[in-house]
Amino acid sequence: MTAGNANTDPQEIFDDKVAREIRIEPKDWMPDKYRQTLIRQISQHAHSEIVGMLPEGNWITRAPTLRRKATLIAKVQDEAGHGLYLYSAAETLNISRDEMLAQLHSGKAKYSSIFNYPTLTWADIGAIGWLVDGAAIMNQVPLCRASYGPYARAMVRICKEESFHQRQGFEILLTLSRGSSPQRHMCQDAINRWWWPSVMMFGPSDDQSPHSAQSMAWKIKRFSNDELRQKFVDVCAEQVKLLGMTLPDKDLQWNATTEHYDFGPINWQEFWDVVNGNGPCNRERLEARVKAHEEGQWVRDAAIAFAAKQNDSIRKKNTADVAA
Ligand code: FAQ
C-alpha cells in the first residue's frame, strides 16, 4: 500500500487486513475462493454439531442417574446451539440455510467422521466428552482467531461450552474407573473404541490435506491437521494415566528428543471409508436427519404463518396510528 494514498484495490485491502490481523466482516470484499472455503468449512462444522447430537441423544433415556440425564440433555442442547450459531455465521456469506441443509441431506456436504460410530455403552458418553469434545476444543480454540469475524466470534462461545463438555466426559470416565471391575472394563472398552476415530477427526495428514496451505495463508486455520493431532495425543497420553487406563496404541511412547509422544500408524483406509459414507452408522445418521427435517415441516410452516400474522398486525396498527 502506498503511504498517503487511499488504497482502492480490493484484493490489496483484503490481504492487508489479513496480514494485520484485522477481521474480515460480511460486507467487506473478499476473494470468492475465501468465501467458498468458509462456506464449506463452517457449514460442515454446523452439520457436525447437529449430526453429533444423535450418538449422545441415544443415551438420554438410559443415563444412569437423574443428574447424568439432566447434564446430558443440556449438553445435547448445547450442540444444537452450536449448530445454529454456525449456520448463522455461514449465512452471512450469502448461502441460505435451506441450501446448506439440502447439501447435507443429499450427501453432498460432509460432516465429521467421528459421528458415524455407534454409542454402545454408557461409558461411550464419557469417552465422547473426554476424547471427541477434547479433540474438538484442540481444533476449535485456534478458530477463535480465524480471520472471518462471524466465525471467530461464534467459536468463542462454542469453545467455552465444549470445555465444560470435555470435563463432564472425563468425570464420567473417572467415576467408572474407580468403580467395580465391570465398570472399569466398560471404561477401557469405550476408550479403545473411540481413541483412533478421535485421532482421525483432525483430518488427513498434512501432505494429504488439499485445503490446509491456503486456509493457513488466509488465517482461517492457524495450525495444521498434524500439529493439532500431535497436541491432542500429548495431552491425552498424560490424562489417561489419571484414569488408570491405557490408550490402545502399542507404539505410544514419550520421545525425549522431540518432546512429544510418538504414536502408531493411523488407518487412513478406515478414515476415508467413513468420510465417503461407508462407516458403521453413516446411513442411519443421514436417515435420522432427513426424517427429523421432514417431520419438522409443520413447525417451520407454523413459524412462518405466525411471523406473517405478526407483521400484518404491526402493519395494521401503523396504518391506524397514521390515520389517527
Ligand atoms: N470428517 O484439506 P482438509 C464437534 C475432509 S465438531 C469428515 O484437511 P480442511 C463438536 C475435508 O472436509 C467436529 N471429513 O480439509 C461436538 C475435506 O473435504 P472437502 C467438527 C473430513 O477443511 C462434540 C477433505 O477431507 N469440527 O466435534 C474430516 O482444511 C461432541 C480434505 O481435508 C469441525 O468441523 C473429518 N474428520 O480441514 C459435537 C471444525 N477431516 O470439503 C457433538 C472446523 C477432513 O474438500 C458431540 N473444521 N475432512 O470435500 C476444520 O477445522 C477443518 O475443516 C478440518 C479439515 C480440520 C476438519
Side-chain angles (χ1 to χ4, degrees), residues 46 49-50 78-91 97:
E49 301 281 357
I50 299 297
D78 284 352
E79 309 300 359
H82 298 174
L84 297 182
Y85 309 151
L86 290 163
Y87 284 128
S88 301
E91 281 171 319
R97 195 168 302 198

Side-chain angles (χ1 to χ4, degrees), residues 40 44 110 113 133 139 162 201 203 209-211 221 225:
R40 179 185 63 79
Q44 290 184 5
K110 293 190 167 74
S113 49
D133 286 280
N139 163 272
E162 298 290 25
M201 264 178 87
S209 163
H211 303 298
K221 285 167 92 161
N225 298 355

Side-chain angles (χ1 to χ4, degrees), residues 69-97:
K69 190 192 286 278
T71 310
L72 185 56
I73 290 172
K75 179 184 190 292
V76 173
Q77 281 179 335
D78 284 352
E79 309 300 359
H82 298 174
L84 297 182
Y85 309 151
L86 290 163
Y87 284 128
S88 301
E91 281 171 319
T92 66
L93 292 154
N94 211 8
I95 181 167
S96 71
R97 195 168 302 198

